[in-house]
Amino acid sequence: MEQKISIGSVLKPQGIRGEVKVKVFLDSAEELKSFNRVLIGGEEYAVMSVRAQGEFAYTVLRGIADRNAAELLRGKEIEVFRSELPEPPDGRYYIADLTDCEVVTANGEQIGTVVSVTPAKTDVYTLKTPKGEVSFAAADGVIESVDVESKRITVNKKRFKEVSL
């Protein structure tokens, strides 16, 4: 089965004609315009139009004709098939590619495994470690390398200790 990636969440209906307000998890709400179809609750919907506004998008989906139909989508994740996503620019990664990566220091010391990444101006990584969960900001100099193929992230031990919680 082809992998699905979450690209947003339906916040609420917008107006009376079935448009929905979407919180977009992509770098820009404009990027939602590049998808012809999305999956919501396992159902496929054709994307008819997208109006981007900041980190939100107002989207019309085929088959969602009124506010009542749009209300049924409230709170649901919007997914696309991985094969439909463009390759990210060098040095950028999809959160789904970072989840489950092993985090190690430059000398190979294991720190933990990525369980989540919270997008922000400086992304916050949460790791599962033998001592519990640890979070760190991906500030300058913390992450030395990312190898999504090997599921391995190498960090600078000194900088990691400075920014971890």
Side-chain angles (χ1 to χ4, degrees):
M1 179 183 257
E2 190 174 3
Q3 183 184 13
K4 294 178 237 175
I5 304 287
S6 179
I7 62 164
S9 176
V10 177
L11 296 176
K12 64 178 188 158
Q14 179 69 27
I16 61 171
R17 294 201 172 123
E19 188 175 47
V20 291
K21 182 177 182 181
V22 174
K23 167 72 170 143
V24 179
F25 302 153
L26 303 166
D27 286 340
S28 163
E30 289 285 333
E31 291 180 48
L32 192 57
K33 293 178 179 181
S34 66
F35 298 102
N36 295 322
R37 64 182 178 148
V38 295
L39 301 162
I40 303 175
E43 295 289 322
E44 187 174 309
Y45 295 92
V47 178
M48 304 305 292
S49 70
V50 175
R51 290 184 298 121
Q53 226 173 22
E55 62 190 47
F56 302 104
Y58 297 92
T59 307
V60 176
L61 304 166
R62 178 173 282 138
I64 306 299
D66 60 28
R67 186 175 185 87
N68 292 333
E71 184 65 47
L72 297 174
L73 301 179
R74 183 190 290 261
K76 293 187 178 178
E77 277 194 25
I78 299 174
E79 299 175 309
V80 296
F81 289 109
R82 175 57 193 250
S83 61
E84 295 180 9
L85 288 171
E87 282 301 312
D90 283 345
R92 302 294 308 263
Y93 307 94
Y94 290 112
I95 290 172
D97 293 337
L98 300 174
T99 304
D100 295 327
C101 280
E102 177 184 28
V103 177
V104 298
T105 63
N107 64 3
E109 178 185 341
Q110 290 187 315
I111 296 174
T113 304
V114 177
V115 292
S116 69
V117 178
T118 305
K121 185 174 181 181
T122 303
D123 293 343
V124 177
Y125 289 59
T126 301
L127 310 178
K128 180 180 177 184
T129 72
K131 296 179 182 177
E133 284 193 350
V134 173
S135 295
F136 74 93
D140 287 340
V142 177
I143 296 177
E144 293 182 349
S145 67
V146 176
D147 184 348
V148 293
E149 296 296 319
S150 300
K151 300 294 277 179
R152 187 179 199 107
I153 298 172
T154 304
V155 296
N156 177 294
K157 186 175 182 176
K158 181 180 180 223
R159 285 290 288 141
F160 176 84
K161 288 185 181 240
E162 291 172 356
V163 298
S164 63
L165 306 170

